[in-house]
Amino acid sequence: MHVRNIWKDLTSWSDRKLRRMVGTSELDQDAVNDVLIRTATDWNESRKDSDETLLQVDRYHDGGALLLSDRLDMKERGQRGGRRISLFDRKRNVIAQWSSARAFYHAWLDATIGDEPSYLISDSSFTGGLVFDYRRDNVILCQVVHNHFLSDPNGSNLGELTDGKIRYVSHIDSFDVVTTLTDQQRRDMDEAELSSDRLRTVSNLTENLNGDPIAPRVRDQGVMIARLVSQKRVEDAVRAIGKAIAHAPSITLDVYGDGDDQPDLTDLIDQLSVADAIRLHGHMPGAKKNFHLSSFSLLTSRYEGQGLVVLESMSAGCIPISYAVNYGPADIIDDGVNGFVVPAGDVDALADAILRFLAMPEDKVQEMRRAAIARAADYFEAPIVRRWGEVFAELSFEPIVRLDHLRAVLNEATADGQNVHVVIDVEGLEECDPEDVYISWKSRTGNFYGRVAADYDGKDVRAAIPIRRLSAIPVGYFDFSVDLVAGRNFNRARIASKNSNISNFSDVLKLYTTKHGNFSGQILQPQ
């Protein structure tokens, strides 16, 4: 295994290797005249405006030679807008240029991967936004979804997407495969029609903590490992212990983690007079060892990607008592068998579950600990690695077809009280026969994106878009496109239109043709 870093590569490569970086902009050798005067021996020089907004950064080799100049005010000097990334050889000649960071990173990936059959796994939302359109015949592209895809995790599956995920989630079919940590998130994303059979479940793996189901433990000693932030809702754990302690005065809860909520939690503990029972330890390296010493653990989050602490607790034989939040706990815990799951936000139910656990006979508790350890084993390294192998084994390196001449033209669009009905002519498919066709839309403000399946008869695309799907968008504008999926191929085209082909009979939205001749809509009133 080799750990690669783009800047480590570029600063160490010879000029010959640097020339493998293929630019996407016409070379402008005058870019060298924009290079900042070097004032120190640091590896970069930067230029900012009066508000400390970055306008340019120049990067150097360790030996002091100029490597790259990234200028971010190409439209008007001094005002951020427009970009030019210039790569130099050691004689300060421009080797290649790009107008976006995404294109620059793609060039590095090309130089790094070459023609070798490869699997590229994007493990963060940020990189997903960089590589979603990195499509190469010899590269299987995978995106991992680590957390909730909605800005409101408790809202509709058709709601606004998170700011960090909108770029890649709105292009899921650009990937060969996208993995979620839980089946429930995969089902929710499928319900929103975000993917055409690209989604698979591959869970996080957890360490084998070698829990002992019969090791002596203080039954009423609880533990919680969580950041002290709003998402983790630790105040509910404090309140639940406050309620349970009235019936079981010897209960204790040790909380490991720090965060902005610590002062408020300290005040709440004092208000409830449970300072002798609940201890905030702050961040402590190796805190998970306390799962071996404690009898039960609590998870009270508002949302999770999966809830790795639940698996760690179970692996150590510590019984998890958790809110049934999206995502994870309900997929992992069988209530009453290897842990407890209660309705999210129900402090009384959480307190009752704690008391129910404390009242169990010891032989039943040991049985539950065995079941928890056995369940955690499903997430140890071997089964999860095997699952990755199964997912990749489904995929092939068949050639990717890019429809460079794809064109979509609106024949008819009607907005009534229930639906937007569209008929669209699609041209330039060449030899591509789409397996799935969608009408998609994206709001110009916010992160509202959606799509619906359409019918395709070999020439025309027909779809009925429920207005309720569009009404989540705030007052303002959104744009329509046609999405075509076939095998590894994903192609999207804006829809050309004329107002003469549009009929409006809805007081909720208005369909129209933009000044550039494309099909768009406007939400007229909040829903």
Side-chain angles (χ1 to χ4, degrees):
M1 175 178 289
H2 301 277
V3 178
R4 304 291 290 266
N5 175 280
I6 185 170
W7 299 113
K8 180 69 178 295
D9 277 356
L10 297 185
T11 55
S12 63
W13 283 355
S14 66
D15 287 352
R16 181 179 60 81
K17 283 189 176 181
L18 287 176
R19 288 190 177 89
R20 293 186 300 182
M21 296 276 287
V22 178
T24 54
S25 299
E26 185 176 347
L27 290 187
D28 179 5
Q29 293 292 345
D30 289 340
V32 70
N33 298 324
D34 290 335
V35 173
L36 303 173
I37 297 174
R38 197 173 189 197
T39 60
T41 57
D42 293 339
W43 77 300
N44 63 42
E45 290 285 344
S46 62
R47 173 169 60 91
K48 300 179 181 179
D49 65 13
S50 57
D51 296 325
E52 292 296 302
T53 300
L54 185 67
L55 299 178
Q56 181 174 340
V57 59
D58 298 341
R59 303 181 186 274
Y60 289 82
H61 294 274
D62 293 340
L66 177 66
L67 170 68
L68 178 143
S69 180
D70 184 3
R71 185 178 161 191
L72 299 144
D73 60 344
M74 289 300 296
K75 290 184 178 179
E76 181 177 347
R77 190 171 182 86
Q79 293 189 9
R80 188 161 175 136
R83 192 168 192 175
R84 183 185 64 197
I85 301 172
S86 303
L87 183 68
F88 297 88
D89 65 17
R90 285 168 174 78
K91 293 182 179 180
R92 292 201 166 203
N93 298 309
V94 177
I95 295 174
Q97 289 176 320
W98 303 266
S99 60
S100 71
R102 195 162 79 244
F104 170 64
Y105 275 96
H106 288 191
W108 171 65
L109 289 171
D110 282 341
T112 302
I113 295 171
D115 297 327
E116 292 292 326
S118 304
Y119 295 83
L120 194 162
I121 304 174
S122 167
D123 203 44
S124 77
S125 299
F126 174 76
T127 54
L130 288 174
V131 303
F132 70 85
D133 57 348
Y134 184 73
R135 305 303 283 131
R136 306 291 187 267
D137 289 352
N138 64 304
V139 178
I140 296 294
L141 184 62
C142 171
Q143 175 66 41
V144 179
V145 184
H146 277 291
N147 218 318
H148 216 295
F149 64 106
L150 296 172
S151 61
D152 178 6
N154 298 312
S156 164
N157 291 332
L158 307 177
E160 185 177 19
L161 303 177
T162 62
D163 185 54
K165 292 184 173 62
I166 178 66
R167 177 169 282 185
Y168 83 75
V169 171
S170 60
H171 293 84
I172 278 183
D173 285 333
S174 289
F175 296 87
D176 290 290
V177 65
V178 173
T179 66
T180 62
L181 300 179
T182 67
D183 288 333
Q184 187 58 56
Q185 180 157 22
R186 175 176 51 79
R187 288 191 291 266
D188 286 352
M189 295 178 76
D190 273 335
E191 181 185 330
E193 296 187 87
L194 296 174
S195 169
S196 174
D197 197 34
R198 295 289 203 260
L199 296 171
R200 300 292 184 272
T201 302
V202 183
S203 300
N204 276 326
L205 60 83
T206 189
E207 180 184 356
N208 183 356
L209 296 182
N210 298 300
D212 184 348
I214 62 173
R217 305 179 192 230
V218 179
R219 175 75 70 83
D220 47 15
Q221 180 174 322
V223 64
M224 188 172 193
I225 300 177
R227 289 177 291 116
L228 307 185
V229 296
S230 175
Q231 178 197 340
K232 301 302 181 179
R233 200 161 38 180
V234 179
E235 64 273 13
D236 277 19
V238 172
R239 291 191 175 95
I241 293 295
K243 290 176 178 292
I245 209 169
H247 304 279
S250 58
I251 292 178
T252 62
L253 180 68
D254 292 287
V255 182
Y256 297 90
D258 54 22
D260 294 339
D261 286 359
Q262 182 166 342
D264 291 339
L265 291 169
T266 300
D267 290 343
L268 179 61
I269 289 170
D270 290 340
Q271 291 169 17
L272 298 178
S273 300
V274 291
D276 292 337
I278 301 177
R279 297 176 288 269
L280 303 180
H281 295 274
H283 172 71
M284 183 177 292
K288 61 186 176 185
K289 68 177 183 293
N290 291 282
F291 286 134
H292 287 285
L293 306 175
S294 303
S295 191
F296 67 92
S297 67
L298 299 181
L299 185 141
T300 54
S301 301
R302 301 179 191 280
Y303 60 91
E304 290 285 346
Q306 183 177 29
L308 188 58
V309 290
V310 171
L311 292 171
E312 291 173 337
S313 177
M314 297 172 83
S315 180
C318 183
I319 300 304
I321 304 174
S322 173
Y323 277 167
V325 297
N326 288 336
Y327 292 103
D331 286 20
I332 300 168
I333 301 170
D334 294 320
D335 185 55
V337 176
N338 50 33
F340 298 90
V341 182
V342 302
D346 192 335
V347 174
D348 289 336
L350 186 64
D352 289 345
I354 295 170
L355 293 173
R356 193 159 76 250
F357 171 69
L358 297 183
M360 291 175 62
E362 185 59 31
D363 61 332
K364 294 296 184 182
V365 171
Q366 290 185 8
E367 183 179 329
M368 180 173 277
R369 295 196 198 285
R370 289 190 182 91
I373 293 168
R375 178 59 172 146
D378 294 336
Y379 299 87
F380 289 169
E381 180 177 312
I384 300 305
V385 171
R386 184 165 56 249
R387 176 58 181 155
W388 273 111
E390 292 169 353
V391 168
F392 284 143
E394 297 178 10
L395 308 174
S396 70
F397 289 94
E398 65 181 67
I400 296 170
V401 178
R402 296 168 180 82
L403 300 179
D404 296 329
H405 303 291
L406 177 63
R407 188 165 184 265
V409 180
L410 182 70
N411 287 339
E412 179 183 341
T414 303
D416 58 27
Q418 300 296 322
N419 298 289
V420 172
H421 300 273
V422 296
V423 180
I424 299 161
D425 180 45
V426 178
E427 305 168 355
L429 290 182
E430 301 170 5
E431 300 301 317
C432 180
D433 185 16
E435 298 165 2
D436 296 289
V437 180
Y438 299 88
I439 304 298
S440 63
W441 59 89
K442 169 70 175 69
S443 64
R444 297 184 194 172
T445 58
N447 297 309
F448 295 89
Y449 165 80
R451 64 182 192 173
V452 296
D455 294 323
Y456 175 64
D457 61 8
K459 182 178 185 299
D460 290 332
V461 172
R462 298 174 182 270
I465 307 165
I467 288 181
R468 63 178 176 78
R469 290 290 309 274
L470 303 170
S471 60
I473 301 173
V475 171
Y477 299 93
F478 59 97
D479 303 309
F480 290 104
S481 297
V482 170
D483 294 355
L484 305 174
V485 184
R488 298 184 71 192
N489 313 313
F490 172 71
N491 291 275
R492 172 173 288 166
R494 283 284 274 125
I495 304 166
S497 68
K498 296 179 180 179
N499 281 329
S500 59
N501 295 336
I502 297 173
S503 300
N504 285 292
F505 302 100
S506 170
D507 56 2
V508 174
L509 63 82
K510 171 188 173 183
L511 306 176
Y512 74 101
T513 299
T514 69
K515 64 180 180 180
H516 298 295
N518 293 319
F519 182 42
S520 294
Q522 179 185 8
I523 300 296
L524 301 174
Q525 54 183 303
Q527 300 298 301

